[in-house]
Amino acid sequence: MSGTALRDLNTLPGSERKSESSSKGSFARPCTGSIDENADKSQRKISFSLVSAPVNGEEAVNAGAEAGNAEVEYIESENLTDVEDVDTAVKTLVDGLGSKDWVVVCESLNNTRRLSKFHKETVLDMLVDVIPLIVKSLKNPRSAVCKTAILTSSDIFNAYNDYIIDSLDPLLVQLLLKASQDKRFVCEAADKALVVMTTQVSPTLLLPKLQPYLKNRNPRIRAKASICFSRSVSQLGLEGIKSYGIDKLIQDAASQLSDQLPESREAARTLLLELQTVYEKSTDLTPIVSEHPELSSWEHFCQSKLSPLSAQAVLRVTNVAREGIVLGS
């Protein structure tokens, strides 16, 4: 992993909140009733969208601070329409994504989404240049740019699946960071993008990418990575889990059972129950020829693959879950 990625991962959410709040101050604009005639067309459009209804007292400050981001149009993937001029959109895409004008950047991000949806092959060869610029927008302290970049990431996953695996690391770092911060609407968008990633990228390729983040020093990063890891394993299916290696997966899941945050622990429990089900189905399909069939039990498997303390913790989780199912039946 690059030094830049490590520095990004070690950035605490508090510092991002500071950047967000400071950027919002310059983002909001008061209702002036007029507009600069020298401004370009796109800027005039955004300026009008920032005008909000007058309110009194402290509400006016809060509404003013949120006005800009609240009025930016965030288009859901299913509502995207095709670009009017494909050639022009393609030719100006990279320059637009690298622009210093945040309005142009947002427009270019949305064009990236449209092109990925309606002209997938056209953008495929450009991904090596496009993805680093999407990552740059994900780091942008302006919430409008950041959220639009998150939406763009989702559409990239939907369109290109495994084609982006070699460029995934910087996207993954930023999405885990954004999903771990306190700004709710950015966090929710990043969570959705991570869901798309785990369903669209092959788990055999994605799991090795996620694994290092299970041990990240930021507990919120670990929690998000654990959830993604568990969800991605589910995509493997019974045969896929057997091929990937239950022994490797149980060690990863066991390491999260004692994690600081409940989200990590819950993701680990979910994964362990799935691994237990797969293991027991596998042994049911294999005739036991040994005089000691207990050696093929889930308990023996855990004890043979884990340290005594880890095995005890895993068996406690899976046995409690099994007892609950028996009592409920």
Side-chain angles (χ1 to χ4, degrees):
M1 186 185 301
S2 68
T4 301
L6 287 172
R7 286 197 299 274
D8 287 338
L9 275 176
N10 294 331
T11 302
L12 293 177
S15 63
E16 290 194 5
R17 293 198 299 272
K18 184 176 180 181
S19 298
E20 292 283 3
S21 61
S22 63
S23 68
K24 281 169 138 186
S26 61
F27 188 51
R29 301 177 189 175
C31 179
T32 60
S34 62
I35 192 165
D36 182 3
E37 291 297 328
N38 294 323
D40 60 47
K41 197 171 182 180
S42 62
Q43 185 65 44
R44 289 202 298 272
K45 180 178 178 182
I46 295 295
S47 297
F48 277 117
S49 72
L50 297 179
V51 175
S52 58
V55 288
N56 296 320
E58 184 178 346
E59 292 182 0
V61 176
N62 294 333
E66 294 293 341
N69 289 339
E71 295 298 334
V72 171
E73 185 180 12
Y74 301 115
I75 310 168
E76 296 297 328
S77 297
E78 58 270 22
N79 296 328
L80 287 170
T81 57
D82 199 355
V83 293
E84 294 181 4
D85 186 336
V86 177
D87 290 338
T88 300
V90 170
K91 288 177 182 176
T92 60
L93 189 63
V94 172
D95 286 343
L97 290 171
S99 174
K100 294 182 179 180
D101 185 335
W102 70 271
V103 178
V104 173
V105 173
C106 285
E107 290 174 349
S108 299
L109 286 167
N110 280 325
N111 277 343
T112 303
R113 302 175 65 201
R114 295 183 177 99
L115 289 168
S116 297
K117 180 175 182 178
F118 296 102
H119 307 279
K120 181 167 139 180
E121 297 299 326
T122 306
V123 181
L124 182 58
D125 292 336
M126 301 173 61
L127 288 178
V128 67
D129 297 317
V130 167
I131 289 181
L133 293 170
I134 296 174
V135 172
K136 180 180 178 182
S137 292
L138 286 169
K139 297 177 181 180
N140 195 300
R142 193 182 292 276
S143 296
V145 177
C146 179
K147 181 170 179 178
T148 306
I150 293 171
L151 296 174
T152 306
S153 300
S154 291
D155 291 318
I156 290 289
F157 295 141
N158 268 322
Y160 299 105
N161 316 115
D162 295 349
Y163 284 108
I164 56 95
I165 196 66
D166 291 335
S167 304
L168 180 62
D169 285 324
L171 277 177
L172 179 57
V173 169
Q174 290 304 314
L175 289 174
L176 289 172
L177 280 168
K178 299 308 174 185
S180 303
Q181 67 166 248
D182 292 332
K183 186 173 284 297
R184 183 176 175 181
F185 81 106
V186 172
C187 178
E188 289 176 349
D191 276 334
K192 290 179 181 178
L194 290 170
V195 170
V196 175
M197 178 190 70
T198 54
T199 54
Q200 294 299 323
V201 179
S202 297
T204 52
L205 299 175
L206 182 58
L207 289 172
K209 298 284 187 182
L210 288 167
Q211 194 172 28
Y213 301 109
L214 299 177
K215 299 178 181 179
N216 189 265
R217 73 180 191 178
N218 185 330
R220 300 174 80 172
I221 295 292
R222 292 198 304 271
K224 295 298 180 181
S226 296
I227 294 169
C228 291
F229 194 87
S230 177
R231 190 186 300 120
S232 188
V233 170
S234 296
Q235 299 293 314
L236 281 169
L238 189 148
E239 291 302 321
I241 289 175
K242 287 167 58 180
S243 299
Y244 192 87
I246 299 179
D247 52 343
K248 291 190 294 185
L249 294 171
I250 195 175
Q251 290 169 7
D252 289 324
S255 70
Q256 301 301 300
L257 273 181
S258 59
D259 197 77
Q260 178 178 343
L261 293 182
E263 293 92 334
S264 292
R265 301 194 296 271
E266 182 58 33
R269 284 192 287 267
T270 300
L271 177 53
L272 287 167
L273 290 173
E274 183 163 10
L275 294 177
Q276 181 189 26
T277 299
V278 170
Y279 179 82
E280 292 178 344
K281 284 183 178 179
S282 301
T283 53
D284 286 345
L285 297 174
T286 305
I288 302 298
V289 296
S290 170
E291 294 180 0
H292 304 283
E294 69 276 4
L295 295 180
S296 65
S297 69
W298 171 249
E299 181 177 357
H300 181 267
F301 176 75
C302 292
Q303 291 171 343
S304 67
K305 301 298 180 182
L306 302 169
S307 68
L309 285 177
S310 292
Q312 184 179 16
V314 169
L315 291 171
R316 187 184 305 117
V317 166
T318 52
N319 288 340
V320 166
R322 175 177 288 173
E323 290 170 4
I325 292 173
V326 171
L327 292 173
S329 59

